Amino acid sequence: MALLPILEFPDPRLRTKAQPVERVTSATRKLADDLLDTMYEAPGIGLSATQVDVHQRIVVIDVSATQDAPLVLINPQLSAPESTQEREEGCLSVPSFYEVVPRAERIRVSALDRDGKPFEMQAQDLLAVCIQHECDHLDGKLFVDYLSSLKRDRIRRRLSKLRRQEATAR
């Protein structure tokens, strides 16, 4: 088990577009496992490789209440968005901030699993939101990009202030 450091907004590395995984190897599976361990420890319900400064198209998710339903998506592709929902979202890379973001209520996902086997699934509600949120990270996009520039700047300033206060307290 390795816990990985999570990049925080406005770190420019969060804007890097992730590259497709060419071949699922033992290193890919280890990264997926480390992402899950990091996500559970944080605690969160989703984490992308981009958020730990690894720019490969890998996300992990577990929206179960008991944290026992891990989902690994390698090279995820989204399609067939249906309806729209607005939910409050948070992000491990934007700690302590939550805002309402519009997302598709239902989506179809095709990806490779942890072992490199292709699969497809339908997702809805919270799982659909989480998948869309994490896939945005793979494209260098954060949930704050859906907000007004005024809100985004306010969040950036407050996070900077919190980091300064934490550094002073050490």
Side-chain angles (χ1 to χ4, degrees):
M1 172 171 129
L3 296 180
L4 306 169
I6 299 172
L7 301 176
E8 291 186 3
F9 176 72
D11 192 309
R13 294 172 291 180
L14 288 167
R15 300 303 185 173
T16 304
K17 187 170 172 125
Q19 297 302 307
V21 174
E22 297 296 325
R23 201 170 63 100
V24 175
T25 65
S26 59
T28 310
R29 288 186 289 278
K30 180 177 182 341
L31 174 59
D33 293 344
D34 291 346
L35 285 168
L36 284 165
D37 291 339
T38 303
M39 176 191 74
Y40 289 131
E41 182 69 23
I45 61 171
L47 187 65
S48 73
T50 299
Q51 290 175 272
V52 297
D53 202 24
V54 177
H55 303 287
Q56 296 178 11
R57 296 188 74 79
I58 303 171
V59 301
V60 298
I61 293 169
D62 189 342
V63 296
S64 69
T66 52
Q67 294 187 327
D68 62 355
L71 178 63
V72 175
L73 301 170
I74 299 171
N75 297 336
Q77 294 182 338
L78 309 183
S79 62
E82 293 179 31
S83 301
T84 301
Q85 63 179 322
E86 290 192 349
R87 279 188 183 248
E88 190 173 68
E89 289 185 29
C91 181
L92 296 175
S93 291
V94 188
S96 304
F97 288 91
Y98 300 88
E99 292 288 341
V100 174
V101 176
R103 301 273 188 187
E105 187 173 357
R106 285 177 297 285
I107 57 169
R108 183 164 213 47
V109 183
S110 53
L112 302 176
D113 68 12
R114 183 184 175 280
D115 296 316
K117 294 185 179 117
F119 73 98
E120 284 192 19
M121 64 180 281
Q122 292 275 102
Q124 62 184 30
D125 301 323
L126 178 59
L127 179 58
V129 167
C130 192
I131 291 170
Q132 291 169 85
H133 176 109
E134 297 309 327
C135 286
D136 273 355
H137 279 297
L138 301 179
D139 293 325
K141 190 170 186 176
L142 295 144
F143 89 96
V144 296
D145 296 337
Y146 291 92
L147 307 177
S148 69
S149 59
L150 182 67
K151 278 188 176 181
R152 193 169 40 253
D153 289 343
R154 187 185 78 226
I155 290 170
R156 181 182 289 120
R157 284 192 306 274
R158 289 167 94 188
L159 281 173
S160 293
K161 183 179 178 180
L162 285 171
R163 285 188 196 107
R164 284 192 306 272
Q165 289 172 342
E166 288 172 359
T168 304
R170 289 185 204 147

